Amino acid sequence: MSGTSASAELYSTLEESARLLDVACSPDKVLPILTTFEDAFTHDSTVVAFRVATGRRHVGELDCRFTTYPKKRDPYALALSNGLTPETDHPVGTLLSEMQERLPIDSYAIDFGVIGGFKKIYAFFTPDDLQDLSEFVELPSVPGSLAGNGEFFARYGLQDKVGVIGIDYENRTLNVYFNDVPAECFASETIASILRELGFAEPSEDMLKLGQEAFGLYVTLSWDTSKIERICFAVTTTDLKTLPVPIEPAIDKFVSGVPYGGTDRKFVYGVALAPEGEYYKLESHYKWAAGTMDFI
């Protein structure tokens, strides 16, 4: 399938999926992104996923994320040159180039909204080459909150487990995704301890049940505060009915109609926690292959 026809097919699928949320897909925002990265959609190993969330700031939006090809091409430079995101003198604009110079990035992915347009770039490291946080705190553009919470990460065995970095250009935040997380981090008492330490509310029973099944977690950091802004625990499944918690009604409606490619379905269901409370996220994989990476 040619890049043009593949990207047109994805746009049509996004429109169909957005209607399930009563969201109108914005062609002015979406089509330039699909055109810029259209060669990604011709590869069998490309991952494409749709995400919906219940949090207040996510209502009225449908996100899409996909891996890019060629794997080593600079996605931020491409986004800038095609007008997908504005130039900025904020450190968020130089962080990726610093990582490229000093760290063994394996591949990238793009995140965008059907309303908001271009949002994030993910930089992935291979599962057998997880990175240590000490490599990141030396970067001039990294938020000071990363080093400032170093003792927290070390205390829970996360220091050398960095699998993905997500740079959010829209919100000017940084997501740090941890792989091979120590099992004790998913124990109910540990989750409750983590949340108390971060100053978040006590977890709900559903949150604790889901956390016990998690395969990974990530945190959100900012250049504007020394605190960890959010933490998310995520579970992967091919059948949402097997999860130990009921699915949020808005997400259940979306799942019942969202298209998917291939013969198998795959979901990542996550619970995010912030000072204002809990909210849930669902990532439905439209295109994936066994052995490929999961987003959260």
Side-chain angles (χ1 to χ4, degrees):
M1 181 180 291
S2 70
T4 300
S5 59
S7 57
E9 178 183 321
L10 179 55
Y11 180 78
S12 177
T13 302
L14 280 166
E15 279 192 314
E16 179 183 351
S17 303
R19 280 194 292 269
L20 297 169
L21 302 169
D22 296 320
V23 172
C25 193
S26 172
D28 291 344
K29 295 287 189 178
V30 175
L31 289 175
I33 298 170
L34 300 185
T35 300
T36 297
F37 295 99
E38 65 182 3
D39 52 356
F41 309 118
T42 63
H43 288 260
D44 291 339
S45 56
T46 297
V47 177
V48 180
F50 305 147
R51 192 197 71 173
V52 61
T54 62
R56 182 174 55 193
R57 71 189 186 100
H58 300 284
V59 173
E61 180 68 289
L62 171 65
D63 289 329
C64 176
R65 56 276 308 268
F66 58 88
T67 50
T68 65
Y69 284 88
K71 290 174 68 175
K72 291 295 185 179
R73 184 171 60 185
D74 186 335
Y76 186 56
L78 198 58
L80 284 173
S81 64
N82 284 272
L84 304 182
T85 189
E87 295 271 4
T88 178
D89 57 4
H90 188 277
V92 72
T94 51
L95 181 56
L96 185 61
S97 63
E98 293 172 1
M99 290 172 55
Q100 291 165 338
E101 290 174 1
R102 307 188 193 189
L103 296 164
I105 297 173
D106 176 68
S107 57
Y108 301 98
I110 302 298
D111 183 296
F112 68 92
V114 300
I115 297 297
F118 182 89
K119 294 183 178 180
K120 298 179 186 177
I121 290 175
Y122 301 92
F124 292 86
F125 305 99
T126 60
D128 59 354
D129 192 21
L130 299 180
Q131 298 297 297
D132 195 289
L133 286 170
S134 62
E135 300 293 331
F136 296 92
V137 299
E138 300 298 325
L139 302 177
S141 296
V142 80
S145 51
L146 186 64
N149 288 283
E151 291 185 5
F152 169 85
F153 297 123
R155 186 158 54 255
Y156 292 102
L158 302 172
Q159 178 71 27
D160 57 352
K161 306 293 186 182
V162 180
V164 187
I165 293 291
I167 304 173
D168 188 328
Y169 295 93
E170 179 185 50
N171 294 304
R172 294 182 173 178
T173 56
L174 183 72
N175 290 341
V176 183
Y177 297 78
F178 298 99
N179 292 354
D180 292 339
V181 175
E184 55 266 28
C185 287
F186 302 128
S188 294
E189 58 272 20
T190 306
I191 293 174
S193 175
I194 287 173
L195 298 183
R196 282 194 297 270
E197 187 169 350
L198 296 181
F200 297 168
E202 287 295 313
S204 68
E205 287 301 316
D206 281 351
M207 187 273 131
L208 292 176
K209 289 177 183 177
L210 196 68
Q212 291 171 5
E213 304 288 333
F215 73 90
L217 64 86
Y218 77 86
V219 298
T220 301
L221 304 169
S222 169
W223 283 265
D224 299 326
T225 177
S226 61
K227 296 180 178 180
I228 292 174
E229 292 195 341
R230 283 183 299 277
I231 187 168
C232 181
F233 296 82
V235 177
T236 185
T237 182
T238 56
D239 182 0
L240 290 173
K241 293 184 177 64
T242 65
L243 294 179
V245 297
I247 304 302
E248 293 289 310
I251 290 179
D252 190 50
K253 176 187 174 183
F254 178 74
V255 168
S256 66
V258 66
Y260 63 97
T263 57
D264 296 320
R265 304 204 69 174
K266 186 176 184 180
F267 305 99
V268 177
Y269 193 62
V271 55
L273 302 107
E276 63 269 22
E278 300 176 6
Y279 63 94
Y280 289 83
K281 307 179 180 185
L282 175 85
E283 183 174 280
S284 176
H285 283 61
Y286 173 67
K287 184 177 184 294
W288 72 285
T292 56
M293 65 193 73
D294 283 315
F295 300 106
I296 300 183

